[in-house]
């Protein structure tokens, strides 16, 4: 069976009974497993992680809209996190036996159905984007719900599906397909946050570094250590070991060593396998047939 | 479901129709998957790899004996590989959701049933061994089928189950539980096989090295490179990265570097994960809840 992951972000992080109903809508959809969910009151936002095949995920996301659309009113919504809609962002991620193309097709199918059934304008993003200008979520979301009417009226921002005007209470949605995101932090053997910031600037894509790295330097106050905090947005093309080695080398420039690294949340097995292959110099290895657990599931 | 692996070794590698019936007996047992089998004519021996839960594996191994015992006569058997019985060795290996204790219990259960149903003496080995002197397969098998009657008559070698005399045609069996074995080779950037032999001697348990490493130095004739060829018998206690680093360091002593390494056949995912954690200095990582694929199968 092809397994796809979806991580819908919903603009409700304060009313426990609504959050419970949103989670229930996902969990009760046959063929879907809700792996995790968390709500943030200051962001006023909840994030759900679920897996299933394409058909089951489509049903689950539609069930989520059925709860979210009548309950959430963006006109009165406030929170720290940028958002354009009640169901703000819905990415689909290939996990096992599914390709990026499968996820793009699913994103378009769900987007068309959401636009049709709820009269919500939908933008496709990342690998499902219709133009390069719509790949980045930040660009689509700029102006937020409050600027949405004006944005949708511009020729450049005609939505990929649905009306060219915001849904009065549910705004718009951003639906797409992307690689799994890895939250990866490297702690430095120093309390100099300026070193962490310089390293972050050297390795991140936006300032000239690696293509699929987002990074910033932060201070871990309770331990008095500086951290390079990262999101790796495509572990196949920018693998963990290359990021680690580049941070290590940049740190040497300041006489700083790596204390430890940490993976926050989930990581695909292949992202760690490839690091083992790199450091152990393993040649001719085919995980699909040689990793015992993989052969059990063929 | 708890998944256990078994790798029965049968003393028949020349008659294709018998080998096919042996494989069929395993494959046709409900709840079992036969992942692989191979026959070697010069060894006159076949090796089967199957997985399933404890109950299904017991049925499969008994079905294997039902075919092997009437077909194979050790009194007329010849081959290069040492052997004491028709069904020579049956290890059980914990793979997923099963512990070593589960495999020891299964080994004892199968051993008792084999002894009772076929009147075959059975020795327990490795983690299922009743005494330290019976842990090593080589010690149990020393003297082979031809020396078995004399061996079984000695007080020290009373079998763990069954009669103290060989089965006339099927000899004896060695049944036990062990960790997955990893066949791991490191190719050196030299054609000096003496260097590979010295490194092998330094790292293997038998001559003072790491506890769960068997190693020898060999020449890869067609590439003119020396290789340290190894079996890692417990990747949890003697992890791959430690073996790799020790070989690398020993090679430096001779001005030699590592060209590449290779994993032959199957490897548990955890054996590679732990190497990634080591080199990336990952702290606080719990593969059971953080590796995406593992969360899908909880």
């Amino acid at each position: 069976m092809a397994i796809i992951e979806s991580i819908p972000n919903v603009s409700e992080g304060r009313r426990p009974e609504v959050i419970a109903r949103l989670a229930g809508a996902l969990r009760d959809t046959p063929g879907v497993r809700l792996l995790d969910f968390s709500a943030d009151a200051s962001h006023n936002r909840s994030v759900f992680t679920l897996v299933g095949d394409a058909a089951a995920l489509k049903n689950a996301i539609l069930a989520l809209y059925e709860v979210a659309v009548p309950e959430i009113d963006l006109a009165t919504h406030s929170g720290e996190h940028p958002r354009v809609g009640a169901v703000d962002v819905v990415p689909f991620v290939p996990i096992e036996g599914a390709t990026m193309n499968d996820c793009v097709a699913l994103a378009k199918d769900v987007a068309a159905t959401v636009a049709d059934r709820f009269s919500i304008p939908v933008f496709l993003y990342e690998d499902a984007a219709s133009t390069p200008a719509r790949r980045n979520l930040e660009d689509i979301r700029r102006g937020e719900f409050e600027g949405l009417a004006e944005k949708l009226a511009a020729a450049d921002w005609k939505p990929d599906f649905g009306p060219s005007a915001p849904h009065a209470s549910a705004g718009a949605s951003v639906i797409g397909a992307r690689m799994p995101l890895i939250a990866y932090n490297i702690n430095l053997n120093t309390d100099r946050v300026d070193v962490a910031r310089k390293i972050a600037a050297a390795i991140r894509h936006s300032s000239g570094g690696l293509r699929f790295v987002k990074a910033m330097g932060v201070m871990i106050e309770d331990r008095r250590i500086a951290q390079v905090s990262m999101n790796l947005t495509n572990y196949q093309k920018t693998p963990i070991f290359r990021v680690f080695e580049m941070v290590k080398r940049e740190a040497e420039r300041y006489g700083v060593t790596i204390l430890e690294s940490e993976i926050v949340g989930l990581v695909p097995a292949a992202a760690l396998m490839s690091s083992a292959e790199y450091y152990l110099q393993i040649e001719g290895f085919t995980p699909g047939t040689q990793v015992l657990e993989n052969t059990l599931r063929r």
Side-chain angles (χ1 to χ4, degrees), chain A residues 20 47 67 122-123 138 144 155 169 194 196 203 235 237 245 265 292:
Chain A
V47 179
V67 176
V122 179
F123 294 103
E138 291 77 7
E144 299 197 41
S169 60
D194 64 306
I203 65 159
Y235 70 85
K237 293 183 178 165
E245 289 298 324
L292 192 54

Side-chain angles (χ1 to χ4, degrees), chain A residues 31-197:
Chain A
V32 150
R33 281 188 61 192
L34 179 62
L35 295 178
D36 186 56
F37 70 98
S38 62
D40 188 308
S42 68
H43 287 180
N44 200 2
R45 188 177 184 85
S46 296
V47 179
F48 305 86
T49 305
L50 61 156
V51 291
D53 65 10
L57 283 179
K58 181 182 177 182
N59 291 336
I61 297 299
L62 292 173
L64 185 74
Y65 275 88
E66 294 286 356
V67 176
V69 172
E71 280 289 354
I72 300 172
D73 184 1
L74 268 281
T76 61
H77 178 275
S78 68
E80 285 173 26
H81 200 287
R83 76 285 178 269
V84 290
V87 178
D88 193 49
V89 187
V90 183
F92 294 103
V93 178
I95 299 298
E96 205 177 88
T99 64
M100 184 56 82
N101 282 344
D102 297 334
C103 292
V104 168
L106 174 59
K108 290 180 179 174
D109 182 20
V110 171
T113 309
V114 163
D116 184 55
R117 191 175 298 179
F118 302 99
S119 296
I120 293 175
V122 179
F123 294 103
L124 297 170
Y125 84 118
E126 287 278 354
D127 284 51
S130 52
T131 74
R134 295 184 181 193
R135 279 195 75 93
N136 287 327
L137 183 58
E138 291 77 7
D139 295 332
I140 298 174
R141 215 156 44 186
R142 192 166 297 124
E144 299 197 41
F145 174 76
E146 289 71 15
L148 196 55
E150 188 181 348
K151 186 165 195 164
L152 283 164
D156 281 1
W157 287 103
K158 184 179 184 310
D160 292 290
F161 296 94
S164 288
H167 184 288
S169 60
S173 282
V174 190
I175 299 178
R178 61 164 172 81
M179 286 290 291
L181 185 148
I182 301 172
Y184 183 57
N185 300 328
I186 295 180
N187 292 337
L188 303 176
N189 204 357
T190 183
D191 60 359
R192 291 176 54 195
V193 70
D194 64 306
V195 170
R197 289 197 184 117

